[in-house]
Amino acid sequence: MRNDAYTAAGVDVNAGYESVRLMKSHVERTRIPGVPEGIGGFGGLFIPDLKGMEEPVFVSGTDGVGTKLKLAQILGRHDTVGIDLVAMCANDIICCGAKPLFFLDYISCDKNIPEKVASIVNGIADGCVAAGCALIGGETAEHPGTMQEGDYDLAGFCVGVVDRPKLVKATSQPGDVIIGLKSSGVHSNGFSLVRKVFGIGESGQEQEKILNEKVPCLDRSLGEELLTPTAIYVKPILTLLEQMTVKGIAHITGGGFYENIPRCLPDGLAAEIVKDFYKVPPIFGHIAEQGGISENDMYGTFNMGIGMVTVVGFEDAGRAIEILARNGIESYCIGKVVQMQSPESPRVAVV
């Protein structure tokens, strides 16, 4: 169907129809029990199975990918940022112990190129499969004249459920162990600083050259390293929760260690992190060296190789690491919970 007036204004409705056609197969592979047939309605439908739950609590989370998208746009690689989008939402709600049920996405772009949109949705579907949730709807919107040519932005929304007695709350005590789950890299935070450090933000040709240059300490190009998608911790954490008591979970996102770890600790308690208890991936040393960034600022901006932390009793620490390893996640004892010496004391000390 033609719409000459809308096309003249910069919006191609036929491209929208083609995008939906191309993404259908990606959406279909995320189907789980509870998803009715068909996509393309005005609302995403999901029928939750709440049998066996005393008091079901729905937990929701929303986020985006941030300026990491700029790197994908420069390199013309759009098939991984959708994983980041799902990870940023699903990793948040698992901190409450909630199992993700369904996900919706929002894509805004200067021009709807169906193949590009389908590649983005392919990544979103990959993320949903990894998180065990269904992609039940979304929106792709052309916004001509509001962003640069080739640019787009992503946002997502995830809903999960947990039985209220099983909600993960901050219940730790001094002496409990902090387990750090290995990150896959920089994940999706701190990219405004990353782009500043490497000069990614000026002329397109030079930016592509910077990102395609192989970095010796990484043994691959800077772009390959930085576009590595965010790890999704949902399934390993759900398994851990089934097998032991977890006293707190934190997703290490923007604000790094200093902002996020205190969110899983009771008032009056702090985290003492020993940096030598695990190996910080080389990319973080490279960023710090190239940007002249202090250690304090690095731990206050990036995940430093730890994408999520869980707090467990001292006696459970070894078993927690074994359970996570059996479920594909390398983890380490990175510190302990301590009593704060005064209300002015820092909530996180990296020693």
Side-chain angles (χ1 to χ4, degrees):
M1 184 179 72
R2 291 180 59 83
N3 188 326
D4 294 336
Y6 215 3
T7 300
V11 177
D12 186 348
V13 293
N14 289 313
Y17 303 147
E18 177 64 5
S19 294
V20 172
R21 186 187 72 80
L22 292 176
M23 69 176 68
K24 277 187 175 182
S25 62
H26 302 309
V27 173
E28 183 60 30
R29 62 191 175 88
T30 73
R31 181 179 295 278
I32 61 174
V35 179
E37 292 291 330
I39 64 168
F42 287 98
L45 306 179
F46 192 86
I47 307 165
D49 180 3
L50 305 178
K51 293 191 296 290
M53 290 192 177
E54 296 177 29
E55 193 175 352
V57 177
F58 289 101
V59 182
S60 59
T62 186
D63 210 335
V65 182
T67 63
K68 182 174 184 175
L69 291 176
K70 191 66 179 175
L71 281 67
Q73 291 156 11
I74 293 167
L75 293 174
R77 182 179 174 185
H78 313 289
D79 59 337
T80 62
V81 288
I83 301 173
D84 291 293
L85 182 64
V86 177
M88 297 308 292
C89 300
N91 284 344
D92 275 357
I93 70 171
I94 194 61
C95 292
C96 299
K99 174 179 171 31
L101 297 175
F102 59 84
F103 190 88
L104 290 90
D105 65 79
Y106 177 79
I107 305 170
S108 62
C109 53
D110 76 310
K111 181 177 177 60
N112 187 337
I113 300 174
E115 293 77 13
K116 181 191 288 188
V117 171
S119 183
I120 295 168
V121 174
N122 180 25
I124 294 172
D126 286 342
C128 286
V129 170
C133 63
L135 178 58
I136 64 169
E139 172 71 10
T140 302
E142 276 188 291
H143 292 164
T146 65
M147 56 182 73
Q148 297 295 315
E149 182 180 350
D151 283 0
Y152 59 85
D153 198 10
L154 305 181
F157 181 86
C158 188
V159 173
V161 67
V162 60
D163 201 1
R164 188 167 184 174
K166 296 182 179 180
L167 269 170
V168 176
K169 300 176 182 178
T171 59
S172 60
Q173 301 173 356
D176 286 339
V177 175
I178 299 171
I179 305 292
L181 282 64
K182 184 179 180 179
S183 73
S184 56
V186 181
H187 284 186
S188 301
N189 299 103
F191 272 84
S192 293
L193 180 53
V194 168
R195 291 187 302 111
K196 180 177 183 295
V197 166
F198 295 109
I200 302 166
E202 294 88 32
S203 60
Q205 190 77 20
E206 187 61 29
Q207 294 174 95
E208 190 171 348
K209 180 181 177 182
I210 292 167
L211 290 171
N212 281 323
E213 191 171 284
K214 188 172 180 179
V215 181
C217 70
L218 304 177
D219 199 31
R220 58 176 171 171
S221 73
L222 181 65
E224 288 177 302
E225 176 69 30
L226 294 175
L227 278 183
T228 301
T230 304
I232 295 178
Y233 300 104
V234 170
K235 293 177 181 178
I237 290 291
L238 285 174
T239 302
L240 187 69
L241 291 171
E242 289 171 0
Q243 299 187 32
M244 67 168 53
T245 298
V246 176
K247 302 182 179 185
I249 306 174
H251 184 198
I252 310 302
T253 57
F257 281 34
Y258 299 128
E259 181 178 327
N260 292 290
I261 294 178
R263 297 167 70 178
C264 73
L265 300 176
D267 292 342
L269 298 185
E272 183 180 278
I273 304 298
V274 183
K275 59 190 177 186
D276 290 340
F277 281 3
Y278 76 100
K279 185 177 179 181
V280 176
I283 180 60
F284 297 104
H286 186 57
I287 293 169
E289 181 182 352
Q290 295 298 308
I293 304 170
S294 70
E295 181 178 87
N296 182 74
D297 285 350
M298 290 296 293
Y299 279 95
T301 305
F302 301 106
N303 67 61
M304 299 302 285
I306 301 296
M308 182 166 282
V309 301
T310 65
V311 183
V312 300
F314 179 83
E315 66 283 359
D316 289 330
R319 191 158 67 95
I321 289 173
E322 290 176 5
I323 292 168
L324 291 168
R326 287 200 300 270
N327 286 272
I329 294 294
E330 187 175 342
S331 62
Y332 330 89
C333 292
I334 64 169
K336 62 183 179 179
V337 178
V338 297
Q339 190 76 44
M340 291 180 64
Q341 298 302 309
S342 72
E344 292 76 31
S345 299
R347 296 295 305 279
V348 178
V350 179
V351 297

